[in-house]
């Protein structure tokens, strides 16, 4: 129904909340609709004056930021993700990306350099052989994708913490941001970057990381959802500014811990 005159068109609270909730990924949407059943609750929670879809969206974004903040506060840097025996590894392991497998970027091994930026004392770029010379660890953990599947994989690589220490990164900075060869990106909180199981992965299931799983290097974080495990990483920045990421910018919760 349309209204003429100065009065703003009447807002159907329930529809507005549901509409705005559609912007959230499935799990958050369900949680949100359960917890925030009314426009009044949404307005009260966020302090936003909700009169239209954009203001409802803004309120929802505030809730999502609040969830990220709570999750970050609850993160236990000493709690380890479950590890599994070799016999539990999912073979074949599923591929996932925002494009089909055939379009995974072919990164040239010779020309590859990991570019470091931001709050890092030694910004020398790293070649693949240099990374391979660093002490490596192997983990058998579960990767959980928001799309509703999970699989157990075996990843070998350099603990990100030891790398950050080696290059003189400011470990009191807030974030580490990763840039990928094909344009994907993601950023994580420093406590997660320093978590003992967060890894710069160079090998999968005992073999050099294949193209589909992120050659030459991917970040493996068993305490976070799959989309926060960037493949084909070519850039790493340590910084205090929030930068988001490929899916984060499209409404997925930034923290996305498990
Ligand atoms: N560079 C890059 N990294 C990425 C993605 C991507 O599209 N590009 N997709 C993410 C998503 S959504 C998931 S679930 C995992 C999948 O990793 P896998 O192919 O090793 O199973 O990679 C993540 N890392
Ligand atoms: Mo994913």
């Amino acid at each position: 129904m349309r209204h003429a005159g100065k009065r703003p068109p009447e807002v159907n609270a329930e529809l507005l909340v549901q509409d705005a909730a559609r912007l959230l990924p499935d799990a958050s949407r369900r949680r949100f609709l359960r917890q925030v059943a009314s426009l009044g609750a949404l307005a009260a929670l966020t302090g936003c004056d909700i009169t239209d879809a954009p203001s409802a969206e803004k309120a929802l974004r505030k809730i999502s930021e609040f969830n990220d903040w709570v999750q970050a506060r609850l993160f236990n840097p000493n709690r380890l993700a479950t590890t599994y025996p070799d016999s539990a590894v999912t073979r074949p392991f599923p591929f996932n990306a925002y494009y089909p497998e055939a379009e995974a970027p072919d990164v040239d091994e010779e020309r590859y350099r990991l570019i470091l930026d931001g709050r890092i004392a030694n910004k020398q770029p790293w070649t693949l052989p240099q990374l391979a010379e660093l002490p490596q660890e192997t983990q058998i953990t579960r990767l959980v994708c928001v799309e509703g599947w999970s699989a157990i994989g075996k990843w070998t690589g350099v603990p990100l913490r030891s790398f950050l220490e080696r290059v003189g990164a400011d470990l009191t900075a807030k974030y580490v941001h990763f840039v990928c060869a094909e344009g994907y990106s993601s950023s994580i909180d420093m406590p997660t970057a320093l978590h003992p199981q967060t890894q710069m992965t160079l090998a999968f299931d005992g073999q050099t990381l294949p193209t589909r799983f992120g050659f030459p290097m991917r970040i493996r974080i068993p305490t976070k959802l799959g989309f926060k495990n960037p493949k084909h990483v070519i850039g790493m920045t340590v910084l205090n500014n929030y930068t988001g990421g490929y899916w984060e910018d499209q409404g997925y919760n930034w923290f996305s811990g498990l």
Side-chain angles (χ1 to χ4, degrees):
M1 201 189 349
R2 306 214 165 251
H3 298 254
K6 281 188 195 109
R7 229 164 65 84
E10 235 169 79
V11 176
N12 178 326
E14 209 182 316
L15 279 182
L16 190 53
V17 169
Q18 277 175 18
D19 239 36
R22 214 163 287 144
L23 299 162
L24 297 170
D26 275 346
S28 324
R29 186 186 312 156
R30 262 180 272 117
R31 216 179 313 129
F32 171 78
L33 288 174
R34 214 168 41 231
Q35 287 166 357
V36 188
S38 74
L39 193 64
L42 182 61
L45 273 171
T46 61
C48 289
D49 180 21
I50 299 162
T51 51
D52 53 14
S55 60
E57 193 187 328
K58 196 170 151 215
L60 280 167
R61 199 161 294 142
K62 279 198 178 177
I63 291 202
S64 163
E65 281 164 20
F66 175 71
N67 282 338
D68 282 338
W69 180 81
V70 171
Q71 275 205 64
R73 296 283 303 246
L74 290 175
F75 180 69
N76 178 347
N78 302 312
R79 209 195 103 227
L80 296 180
T82 306
T83 57
Y84 299 86
D86 196 276
S87 59
V89 171
T90 308
R91 300 184 175 100
F93 194 89
F95 162 89
N96 199 39
Y98 66 92
Y99 43 79
E101 190 172 328
E103 283 164 33
D106 255 316
V107 177
D108 185 279
E109 178 167 357
E110 310 278 279
R111 296 201 318 193
Y112 175 76
R113 296 289 181 278
L114 173 66
I115 306 297
L116 304 182
D117 203 0
R119 306 180 66 85
I120 293 178
N122 186 353
K123 293 198 185 71
Q124 249 331 77
W126 286 68
T127 65
L128 192 53
Q130 284 172 330
L131 290 174
E133 266 172 34
L134 299 175
Q136 315 272 314
E137 276 180 13
T138 294
Q139 62 168 279
I140 301 178
T141 51
R142 186 184 291 277
L143 184 143
V144 182
C145 175
V146 273
E147 287 175 6
W149 58 269
S150 81
I152 296 170
K154 184 175 173 179
W155 291 274
T156 302
V158 182
L160 181 59
R161 172 192 272 271
S162 67
F163 183 78
L164 290 173
E165 286 168 352
R166 187 177 294 266
V167 297
D170 175 4
L171 305 184
T172 70
K174 278 188 173 159
Y175 307 106
V176 183
H177 181 83
F178 303 102
V179 176
C180 307
E182 90 287 35
Y184 192 83
S185 63
S186 190
S187 60
I188 57 171
D189 50 299
M190 185 60 80
T192 296
L194 300 178
H195 184 276
Q197 289 171 310
T198 297
Q199 184 187 83
M200 295 167 76
T201 301
L202 302 174
F204 182 78
D205 207 5
Q207 312 286 326
T208 299
L209 201 61
T211 300
R212 68 186 184 285
F213 295 147
F215 182 85
M217 191 272 279
R218 73 103 47 92
I219 302 294
R220 172 67 192 129
I221 311 179
T223 56
K224 283 203 188 289
L225 283 171
F227 81 88
K228 304 220 49 113
N229 288 239
K231 304 191 273 190
H232 317 285
V233 173
I234 57 168
M236 191 188 291
T237 308
V238 173
L239 73 176
N240 282 317
N241 298 58
Y242 176 84
T243 50
Y246 182 87
W247 288 116
E248 293 88 336
D249 297 348
Q250 296 177 57
Y252 279 73
N253 269 91
W254 175 77
F255 194 85
S256 286
L258 287 172

